[in-house]
């Protein structure tokens, strides 16, 4: 497999792929629409394309075949188009570049839909190219015709149907610009077969030359709002920094660290924000929300100032929305104005690129010598640290089985610098709780919660970073959603390690059925029909392993990591283990179940009214005696 490290691309400040000014393929004066597409992709620095051919997209693949022979681009043949979209997604999340995937018309295009929606929900930059029936056949119910433009309208940032081959280069340049700027997202380019075949006088469009008057994302924050935010931070005594995936997209981890340390701010992240702040740092509280740490959830319940950076107040974070951070004033920094005030109206809204806004905020603080006063937040931090000691994340050790948490902790200990992808379910939440990744090394479907994401996403990551360890944490149910991609791993020797936490269930479904549906386990038992992983791996020419005893866990994980090639490890874990803490639906974040001791009396209960002096107020929002807003 050709290593991506063999090609050196210039990088921009935000670590996204910088446009390259020329293709390594000389553009002819006359060219087909298919050539124009591939050449334009190369001009935008594309090195890898994930896809699957078919009738309508064959002209593009024919041009790709000729260009791929020059060594300037590599196509990765997946076994299902959904795998192509997830691989392009994983590639984009890990690199910060735009991922690219191909599929043909009809079922090929519709097979991409789940991956497009996954990328859209998590704001991942991606170019999706689909073949389409010839222009004259569009709308006639031709063989393998679907209106993929219409189907995907709600789940793309923008989309095109190329009606004239002369527009191809411009459309590709626009697509890259739209996908990678502002709030990132997937862009669809639907190419009719005859457009791909059509020859014309080809004039390349260089990256960065496109100007779209109607599309100008706000990247700099309003100075007055930034000053107002600084004032609120200075006045706060119980602040909390709440960091989402927007901080990852903006590569703002260094600015997050500087802000936290300047004002002594405890930091919690969303599932998408994992890696934006070093979880080994004493100010880190880990993830908050439904399966977040108890101390992060207590902190967000009791804080008096919530500084939201690149997050969107989604339901898995907030629990009962009207009781989420109900004591707090809110600063909300986000590049998407539609997200600011959508679920929670902030006192200080700041629209702009997270990195730019934080840089400006930090510069203003430096110029004014503004920082936390001695002991300003110390009482708050002491309270949080007491919660941290009293309500730690638990790693069970059962006498007769391996707990899933033990597996996560062991692999995290042996491969602390690896890229980790996950599928969706209990294993995903345990991985989020116990792995402590750096920026862009946590790759997980958050918004859509897509089972089957893990293995193909890991393929994309490994193709981008062939010299780094890439590990997929999966479950026995999720793994079977896209197991056909083992063929892709085998064909290209993509050295991905996959750990299956096998409890014989759709684990999260079973947990909810146990807690909320009277233990009626309807269609969630996966024990019967699970393939023999060793034999399955062998059938694909891949190393397969099984772990059943705690005594062999460490050695076999070491063996997995040492093997030079893809490995699938089937780890039999405790069958009825539940993922805790857990915020039940309709409850606020402090009302968690599965804690090691009762919920404490918190800062909420000790607040007094500044107007009448009433102690231990029961309301989070106003004094019940005199009506003063707290």
């Amino acid at each position: 497999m050709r290593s991506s490290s063999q090609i050196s691309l210039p990088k921009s400040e935000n670590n996204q792929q910088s446009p390259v000014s020329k293709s390594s393929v000389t553009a002819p004066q006359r060219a087909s629409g298919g050539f124009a597409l591939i050449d334009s992709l190369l001009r935008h620095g594309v090195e890898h394309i994930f896809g699957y051919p078919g009738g309508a997209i064959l002209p593009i693949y024919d041009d790709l075949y000729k260009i791929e022979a020059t060594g300037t681009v590599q196509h990765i043949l997946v076994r299902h188009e959904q795998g192509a979209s997830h691989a392009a997604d994983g590639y984009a999340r890990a690199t910060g570049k735009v991922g690219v995937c191909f599929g043909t018309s009809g079922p090929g295009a519709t097979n991409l839909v789940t991956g497009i929606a996954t990328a859209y929900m998590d704001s991942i930059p991606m170019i999706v190219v689909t073949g389409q029936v010839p222009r004259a056949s569009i709308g006639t119910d031709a063989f393998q015709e679907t209106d993929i433009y219409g189907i995907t309208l709600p789940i793309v940032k923008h989309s095109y149907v190329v009606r004239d081959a002369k527009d191809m280069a411009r459309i590709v340049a626009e697509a890259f610009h739209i996908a990678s700027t502002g709030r990132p997202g997937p862009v669809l380019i639907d190419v009719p077969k005859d457009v791909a075949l059509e020859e014309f006088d080809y004039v390349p469009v260089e990256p960065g030359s496109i100007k779209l008057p109607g599309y100008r994302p706000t990247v700099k924050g309003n100075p007055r709002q930034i000053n107002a935010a600084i004032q609120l931070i200075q006045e706060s005594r119980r602040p909390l920094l709440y960091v989402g995936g927007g901080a990852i997209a903006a590569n703002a981890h260094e600015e997050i660290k500087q802000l936290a340390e300047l004002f002594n701010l405890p930091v919690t992240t969303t599932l998408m924000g994992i890696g934006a702040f070093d979880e080994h740092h004493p100010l880190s509280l880990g993830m908050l929300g439904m399966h977040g740490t108890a101390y992060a959830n207590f902190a967000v319940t009791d804080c008096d100032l919530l500084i939201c950076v690149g997050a969107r107040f989604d339901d898995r974070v907030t629990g009962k929305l009207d009781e989420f951070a109900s004591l707090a004033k809110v600063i909300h920094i986000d590049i998407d104005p539609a997200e600011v005030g959508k679920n929670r109206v902030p006192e200080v809204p700041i629209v702009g690129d997270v990195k730019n806004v934080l840089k400006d905020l930090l510069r203003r603080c430096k110029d004014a010598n503004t920082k936390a006063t001695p002991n300003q937040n110390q009482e708050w931090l002491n309270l949080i640290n007491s919660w941290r000691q009293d309500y730690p994340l638990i790693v069970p050790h059962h006498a007769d089985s391996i707990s899933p948490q033990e597996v996560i902790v062991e692999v995290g200990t042996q491969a602390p610098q690896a890229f980790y992808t996950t599928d969706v379910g209990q294993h995903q939440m345990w991985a989020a709780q116990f792995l402590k990744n750096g920026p862009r090394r946590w790759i997980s479907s958050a918004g859509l919660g897509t089972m089957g994401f893990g293995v193909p996403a890991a393929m994309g990551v490994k193709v981008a970073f062939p010299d780094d360890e890439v590990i997929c944490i999966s479950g026995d149910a999720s793994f079977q959603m896209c197991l056909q991609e083992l063929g892709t791993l085998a064909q290209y020797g993509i050295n991905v390690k996959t750990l299956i936490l096998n409890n014989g269930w759709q684990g999260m479904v079973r947990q909810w059925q146990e807690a909320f549906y009277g233990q009626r386990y309807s269609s969630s038992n996966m024990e019967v029909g699970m393939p023999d992983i060793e034999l399955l791996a062998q059938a694909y020419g891949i190393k397969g392993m099984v772990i059943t005893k705690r005594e062999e866990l460490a050695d076999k994980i070491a063996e997995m990591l040492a093997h030079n090639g893809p490995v699938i490890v089937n780890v039999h874990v405790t069958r009825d283990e539940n993922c805790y803490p857990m915020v039940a639906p309709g409850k606020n974040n402090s009302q968690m179940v599965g804690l090691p001791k009762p919920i404490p009396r918190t800062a909420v209960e000790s607040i007094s009214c500044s107007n009448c002096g009433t102690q231990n107020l029961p309301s989070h929002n106003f004094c019940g005696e005199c009506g003063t807003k707290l």
Side-chain angles (χ1 to χ4, degrees), residues 25 90 191 335:
V25 178
V191 185
I335 199 164

Side-chain angles (χ1 to χ4, degrees), residues 385-399:
N385 286 332
S386 71
W387 292 333
R388 195 194 305 268
Q389 293 173 11
D390 291 342
Y391 300 90
L393 292 171
I394 302 298
V395 180
H397 286 77
H398 305 296

Side-chain angles (χ1 to χ4, degrees), residues 67-211:
I67 295 176
E68 190 176 13
T70 68
T72 53
V73 67
Q74 182 187 26
H75 179 267
I76 305 295
L77 173 63
V78 297
R79 273 31 183 191
H80 190 286
E81 290 88 355
Q82 183 173 330
S85 55
H86 291 331
D89 182 319
Y91 185 96
R93 292 183 198 235
T95 63
K97 303 174 184 178
V98 178
V100 179
C101 59
F102 283 6
T104 194
S105 66
T110 56
N111 282 344
L112 291 165
V113 168
T114 296
I116 297 170
T118 300
Y120 179 76
M121 287 288 283
D122 290 348
S123 304
I124 306 303
M126 201 160 77
I127 301 297
V128 182
V129 177
T130 52
Q132 185 54 275
V133 300
R135 285 169 288 187
S137 299
I138 292 176
T140 67
D141 292 332
F143 176 68
Q144 291 194 333
E145 180 193 359
T146 57
D147 178 12
I148 195 63
Y149 177 94
I151 289 169
T152 58
L153 273 177
I155 55 169
V156 294
K157 189 175 179 185
H158 196 64
S159 49
Y160 297 89
V161 178
V162 186
R163 301 285 181 174
D164 189 328
K166 294 178 182 178
D167 294 331
M168 185 71 78
R170 173 187 59 79
I171 285 173
V172 171
E174 288 182 7
F176 270 83
H177 178 63
I178 293 168
S180 60
T181 57
R183 181 176 182 171
V187 176
L188 174 78
I189 303 176
D190 195 35
V191 185
K193 187 174 183 177
D194 57 328
V195 171
L197 288 167
E198 186 174 73
E199 292 195 349
F200 65 104
D201 292 331
Y202 175 46
V203 179
V205 176
E206 296 301 333
S209 63
I210 288 293
K211 304 297 181 185

Side-chain angles (χ1 to χ4, degrees), residues 146-477:
T146 57
D147 178 12
I148 195 63
Y149 177 94
I151 289 169
T152 58
L153 273 177
I155 55 169
V156 294
K157 189 175 179 185
H158 196 64
S159 49
Y160 297 89
V161 178
V162 186
R163 301 285 181 174
D164 189 328
K166 294 178 182 178
D167 294 331
M168 185 71 78
R170 173 187 59 79
I171 285 173
V172 171
E174 288 182 7
F176 270 83
H177 178 63
I178 293 168
S180 60
T181 57
R183 181 176 182 171
V187 176
L188 174 78
I189 303 176
D190 195 35
V191 185
K193 187 174 183 177
D194 57 328
V195 171
L197 288 167
E198 186 174 73
E199 292 195 349
F200 65 104
D201 292 331
Y202 175 46
V203 179
V205 176
E206 296 301 333
S209 63
I210 288 293
K211 304 297 181 185
L212 299 174
Y215 174 71
R216 293 182 179 176
T218 300
V219 294
K220 293 185 178 180
N222 182 290
R224 290 185 181 180
Q225 296 299 88
I226 292 174
N227 288 336
I230 294 171
Q231 183 175 349
L232 281 186
I233 296 171
Q234 287 182 285
E235 294 171 353
S236 169
R237 293 300 176 267
R238 298 193 309 279
L240 182 64
L241 191 52
Y242 155 46
V243 180
I248 299 288
N251 291 291
H253 48 279
E254 185 57 39
E255 288 74 19
I256 295 287
K257 180 175 183 288
Q258 291 178 29
L259 178 63
E261 292 180 343
L262 181 65
F263 289 103
N264 224 16
L265 305 173
V267 182
T268 184
T269 68
T270 67
L271 185 67
M272 281 292 296
I274 290 175
F277 188 74
D278 182 4
E279 291 197 28
H280 297 93
H281 196 288
L283 289 171
S284 173
L285 306 185
M287 183 178 73
L288 82 165
M290 179 172 283
H291 291 287
T293 65
Y295 34 93
N297 283 332
F298 289 148
V300 80
T301 302
D302 283 7
C303 66
D304 65 3
L305 176 66
L306 188 65
I307 308 162
C308 176
V309 179
R312 57 188 179 87
F313 294 86
D314 72 283
D315 59 296
R316 287 298 173 104
V317 163
T318 65
K320 190 175 182 181
L321 183 59
D322 61 357
E323 294 183 14
F324 178 74
S326 58
L327 289 171
K329 294 180 179 179
V330 173
I331 300 167
H332 192 173
I333 306 170
D334 203 287
I335 199 164
D336 185 356
E339 290 296 346
V340 179
K342 183 178 79 174
N343 292 327
R344 175 69 181 267
V345 177
E347 277 70 19
V348 179
I350 304 176
V351 175
D353 177 82
V354 165
K355 189 180 185 78
N356 289 342
V357 171
L358 292 183
K359 274 187 170 183
D360 193 4
L361 188 153
L362 290 165
R363 180 186 58 78
R364 291 168 184 271
C365 289
K366 182 179 179 180
D367 291 346
N369 196 27
T370 302
K371 58 184 177 180
T373 58
N375 301 319
Q376 178 176 332
N377 305 332
Q378 196 55 53
E379 185 176 345
W380 173 234
L381 294 176
N382 291 342
L383 178 60
I384 290 174
N385 286 332
S386 71
W387 292 333
R388 195 194 305 268
Q389 293 173 11
D390 291 342
Y391 300 90
L393 292 171
I394 302 298
V395 180
H397 286 77
H398 305 296
D400 56 351
S401 63
I402 307 169
S403 74
Q405 297 94 321
E406 288 179 271
V407 182
I408 300 293
V409 170
E410 182 61 40
V411 72
T413 299
Q414 293 199 32
Q417 301 303 318
F419 286 90
Y420 284 91
T421 72
T422 78
D423 275 297
V424 170
Q426 288 177 316
H427 65 273
Q428 177 191 32
M429 295 296 101
W430 285 314
Q433 289 174 343
F434 290 100
L435 294 175
K436 299 183 185 300
N437 301 74
R440 294 197 179 278
R441 289 181 176 260
W442 168 258
I443 315 291
S444 190
S445 169
L448 197 65
T450 306
M451 294 172 69
F453 175 82
V455 169
M459 296 186 327
V461 177
K462 188 64 177 179
V463 166
F465 295 98
D467 298 326
D468 287 74
E469 195 71 71
V470 179
I471 299 170
C472 171
I473 306 294
S474 190
D476 49 300

